[in-house]
Amino acid sequence: MRERVNGTAIALMLAVGAIAGCGGSTTPSASEGTDTVEVAEVNDGAIDVTVSILPQKYFVEKIGGENVNVNVMVPPGASPATYEPKPQQLKDLSDAEAYVSIGIHFEKPWMPRIESANPQMLVIDSAEGIEKLPLEDHHHHEAEGGHDHGHDHGGDTLDPHIWLSPRLAKQQAQNIYEGLVKVDPENQETYRQNLEQFWAEIDQIDAQIRANLEGVSNRQFMVFHPSWGYFAADYNLEQEAIEVGGQEPSASELATLIAEAKAENIQVIFAQPEFNTESAQTIAQEIGGEVILVTPLAPNWSENLLEVSEKFAGALN
C-alpha cells in the first residue's frame, strides 16, 4: 500500500523546490532537452506514472482519472524508433511510482537504465498476455545484391503497435488497471469503474470503425512505415509496407512497389508525419495518386482511430 503525503506537506515541498529553482540548482542543461519533455500537470496526492508514448497516457488517464499524473517519454512529433530519453527524463523517474511499458522500439535497449533509475518503481507491462505479430515485410524479391533488405528490422522482429487494435487495447487497459491497483489499492473500486467505462468506449469506437469500413471496395492499402498491422487484422484489411526497420527502399525495390501499387489500383499512400515521406511521395507521383498522413501516436487515441478509419474508408472506396 502506497503512503500518501498530505496536501499541506506537498505544498511546502513544492514551495521549497520553487525557491531552490530560483538559484539555478534544479535547472537542467540545454543538452537535456527539456523543451521536448511531456510533463503532466501536477495533482496533489496523485500517483506519478511515466509512459513511453502519448496513446498510453490516454489509457492511463482513462483508468486512473484524477488519481494519476502522467509523464510521457517520447514527445509529440518524435519517433519511438529513434528516440533516446533525455538525462532529465531519467532523473525524473526517481519520483515515478510506476512506469508503463509497451515494448516500443526505444524501450528495449533503454529498459535497464529506466528500471535502475528507480528500483522501487513498479514496471507495468501493458503488453502482457498479448501475442505480437511479426513485423510485416514488404515483398522485395528483387533486392539489390541478391539480399532481401525487407527482412532487416533493426533488431525488432515483432510488431509493437498493439495499441492500434481496439481489441488488444482492452487487454492493455486491463494490465494498466491491475498495475495501478498494486500501487494504490485504496482506489481499486474507482479504477475498476473507470476500466469498465473505458472498455465501453473502446467497444463503441470499434463499432464505429467497422461501420466506417463496411463495404470498402479495396481491402489493401500501402503505408510507408508498417504501423497498422494490428488495425488491419481487426478489420480485414491488408497492409503493404514501403519501409521496415528504418530502411528506405532501394531503387529496384521502389520500382517493384510502384508496379504493385499500379496492379492493385492503389491511389493513396499513407505516411506517418514522424518519418521521412520522400519514398511515399515518389510512389504517389508515379501512380498519379496522393500521400495522406496518419499518425499512430496522436494523444487522443479514440478520436485518432476514428479519423484514420475515415481516411482509410475514403481511400479504399
Side-chain angles (χ1 to χ4, degrees), residues 151-224:
H151 287 290
D152 184 357
H153 299 147
D156 287 323
T157 57
L158 297 179
D159 188 346
H161 303 91
I162 56 175
W163 69 93
L164 297 175
S165 159
R167 175 177 55 87
L168 299 181
K170 293 181 76 171
Q171 179 61 48
Q172 286 184 268
Q174 173 73 32
N175 293 334
I176 292 169
Y177 157 77
E178 293 175 0
L180 291 181
V181 169
K182 287 181 182 178
V183 176
D184 183 21
E186 294 178 4
N187 285 302
Q188 178 174 3
E189 182 59 23
T190 298
Y191 298 145
R192 186 190 64 78
Q193 292 177 6
N194 290 346
L195 173 65
E196 291 178 354
Q197 290 176 5
F198 187 33
W199 276 350
E201 176 186 327
I202 293 174
D203 287 339
Q204 184 179 10
I205 294 299
D206 176 59
Q208 289 180 268
I209 292 173
R210 291 186 186 279
N212 288 343
L213 294 172
E214 186 178 7
V216 296
S217 56
N218 186 0
R219 311 304 295 187
Q220 186 177 40
F221 63 94
M222 186 169 284
V223 295
F224 178 73

Side-chain angles (χ1 to χ4, degrees), residues 80-256:
T82 57
Y83 189 71
E84 294 187 1
K86 303 295 186 286
Q88 185 62 40
Q89 289 180 300
L90 295 174
K91 190 182 301 182
D92 289 342
L93 285 174
S94 62
D95 296 324
E97 293 168 84
Y99 180 91
V100 182
S101 71
I102 196 172
I104 198 71
H105 308 284
F106 82 90
E107 282 184 331
K108 292 185 178 181
W110 281 90
M111 277 310 296
R113 291 188 62 180
I114 289 173
E115 292 177 350
S116 65
N118 182 354
Q120 283 72 48
M121 175 180 67
L122 176 67
V123 176
I124 303 169
D125 181 6
S126 70
E128 185 176 355
I130 294 175
E131 185 176 353
K132 292 183 178 179
L133 300 173
L135 265 175
E136 285 199 25
D137 266 326
H138 39 257
H139 307 299
H140 296 163
H141 304 300
E142 299 177 5
E144 292 177 352
H147 299 290
D148 185 348
H149 298 296
H151 287 290
D152 184 357
H153 299 147
D156 287 323
T157 57
L158 297 179
D159 188 346
H161 303 91
I162 56 175
W163 69 93
L164 297 175
S165 159
R167 175 177 55 87
L168 299 181
K170 293 181 76 171
Q171 179 61 48
Q172 286 184 268
Q174 173 73 32
N175 293 334
I176 292 169
Y177 157 77
E178 293 175 0
L180 291 181
V181 169
K182 287 181 182 178
V183 176
D184 183 21
E186 294 178 4
N187 285 302
Q188 178 174 3
E189 182 59 23
T190 298
Y191 298 145
R192 186 190 64 78
Q193 292 177 6
N194 290 346
L195 173 65
E196 291 178 354
Q197 290 176 5
F198 187 33
W199 276 350
E201 176 186 327
I202 293 174
D203 287 339
Q204 184 179 10
I205 294 299
D206 176 59
Q208 289 180 268
I209 292 173
R210 291 186 186 279
N212 288 343
L213 294 172
E214 186 178 7
V216 296
S217 56
N218 186 0
R219 311 304 295 187
Q220 186 177 40
F221 63 94
M222 186 169 284
V223 295
F224 178 73
H225 185 70
S227 301
W228 299 94
Y230 295 104
F231 184 91
D234 275 6
Y235 301 108
N236 191 29
L237 302 174
E238 183 181 347
Q239 170 184 258
E240 173 75 10
I242 297 172
E243 171 269 349
V244 171
Q247 291 191 352
E248 295 277 347
S250 67
S252 64
E253 291 169 340
L254 198 58
T256 299

Side-chain angles (χ1 to χ4, degrees), residues 265-288:
N265 196 30
I266 293 173
Q267 298 296 312
V268 172
I269 311 299
F270 292 99
Q272 193 171 319
E274 294 83 11
F275 288 91
N276 187 333
T277 63
E278 184 177 346
S279 295
Q281 295 285 357
T282 298
I283 295 174
Q285 183 176 356
E286 290 295 323
I287 64 175

Side-chain angles (χ1 to χ4, degrees), residues 1-5 10 43-49 67-69 95-98 179-187 191:
M1 183 179 297
R2 68 187 292 265
E3 296 182 2
R4 290 185 178 273
V5 183
I10 290 176
N43 178 18
D44 289 357
I47 300 170
D48 287 323
V49 181
N67 294 314
V68 293
N69 292 322
D95 296 324
E97 293 168 84
L180 291 181
V181 169
K182 287 181 182 178
V183 176
D184 183 21
E186 294 178 4
N187 285 302
Y191 298 145

